[in-house]
Amino acid sequence: MKRHILPSSLVAALVLTAAVMTYPALAQQQPLAPAAQQQPAASQPSAPAAATPSGPAAAASSPVAAEPAAGETGARSLKSLAPAMRELSPWSMFLSADILVKVVMIGLALASLATWTIFIAKTIELSNARRKLRASLKKIAEARSLAEAQFALGANEGVLPSLLAAAMREARLSAGISSDSGIKERAASSFAEIVRAEARRIRVGMGTLASIGATAPFIGLFGTVWGIMNSFIGISKSQTTNLAVVAPGIAEALLATAIGLVAAIPAVIIYNHFARLTKSYLELVNRSSGAAARLLSRDLDRTHGTVHPRAAE
């Protein structure tokens, strides 16, 4: 009986000892199993992609993964809207505007170009005309007759030589007429015609400035109204009141008004500036007319002064 008990007890003791020794090893291997699974996943990125489920089953099995997908969609939409917002520059708005709004913008740009061209041209013209006329008035300040004044001026061209030539012509045509008042009246009529012609010449371009300054804001406003009307038509077609839908069209429409103001404001300022300069220049022209009339009167008095003593003899 003892022979059968001793071997069984020894076997039980050996089994118990093996279980105690193998339990800590199993406890240490269980937390290491996920790490061992992650290492092949990191080393082989294509395996998880192949094993990843797709379709409605994947969305149902992993609801948390659906949220990053929605976030990625929102990020993509923001990225797609970002270039559109950056493209709202004046040039891009002009390119995307309606054909009628483009015509309005081009017309206003040409009007602005004409304004600055007139400004440069009239500034040079008025400065040269005033300088020459003042120099001519200084030259004839000491002249005693029309012939002496013409000799002092030489072959110069301008309003003062024209006035002197008109006085000489009237004196020559009225030779033998004793009425000095009639000669002076006819000469004054010729002087007035020359002064009016010079005023018309020096005011060339002023009407264009006045027209641009008066009409450019309304032309730009017409382009704005047309663009906003197209924006509201776009709202009705898209059936949405989102501001991002109509903002580009409204911006294009307001650009037409801005260009109209850019063309009109300088035109009005330049017109007023040239109106003052033209007035001062025409005053110099009137002084020249008066100087020519005085020289003609001296010549007439000198001529009658030599005739009367001869008649008395």
Side-chain angles (χ1 to χ4, degrees), residues 213-282:
T215 60
F218 299 101
I219 296 174
L221 184 60
F222 170 73
T224 299
V225 171
W226 187 268
I228 292 177
M229 182 178 65
N230 289 334
S231 298
F232 280 112
I233 293 173
I235 291 175
S236 63
K237 289 182 179 179
S238 61
Q239 296 181 355
T240 180
T241 58
N242 190 1
L243 186 60
V245 176
V246 296
I250 295 175
E252 296 160 9
L254 294 176
L255 181 63
T257 299
I259 297 176
L261 294 176
V262 168
I265 294 174
V268 173
I269 296 173
I270 293 170
Y271 176 83
N272 294 331
H273 172 68
F274 283 140
R276 292 190 296 269
L277 293 181
T278 302
K279 184 178 179 180
S280 64
Y281 174 73
L282 291 178

Side-chain angles (χ1 to χ4, degrees), residues 292-309:
R294 288 191 296 271
L295 290 173
L296 176 61
S297 178
R298 290 194 191 107
D299 286 352
L300 292 175
D301 291 344
R302 192 177 294 113
T303 301
H304 290 293
T306 55
V307 170
H308 290 166

Side-chain angles (χ1 to χ4, degrees), residues 177-227:
I177 300 176
S178 60
S179 175
D180 293 345
S181 60
I183 297 173
K184 293 177 182 178
E185 182 180 354
R186 290 187 291 272
S189 176
S190 300
F191 293 163
E193 292 179 359
I194 294 172
V195 170
R196 286 195 297 269
E198 182 66 15
R200 287 192 300 269
R201 186 190 69 82
I202 206 65
R203 287 187 177 127
V204 172
M206 300 285 288
T208 304
L209 292 176
S211 299
I212 292 173
T215 60
F218 299 101
I219 296 174
L221 184 60
F222 170 73
T224 299
V225 171
W226 187 268

Side-chain angles (χ1 to χ4, degrees), residues 11 17 30 32 51 65 94 101 130 143 147 149 164 208-209 219 225 273 291 294:
V11 171
T17 303
Q30 288 179 357
L32 292 176
F94 169 75
V101 181
R130 293 174 64 186
L164 297 177
T208 304
L209 292 176
I219 296 174
V225 171
H273 172 68
R294 288 191 296 271

Side-chain angles (χ1 to χ4, degrees), residues 77-107:
S77 62
L78 290 176
K79 289 181 181 178
S80 62
L81 287 175
M85 296 300 293
R86 286 194 299 268
E87 289 177 358
L88 285 179
S89 61
W91 179 247
S92 64
M93 287 189 290
F94 169 75
L95 293 178
S96 59
D98 186 74
I99 183 63
L100 185 60
V101 181
K102 284 183 180 179
V103 171
V104 169
M105 291 181 184
I106 292 173

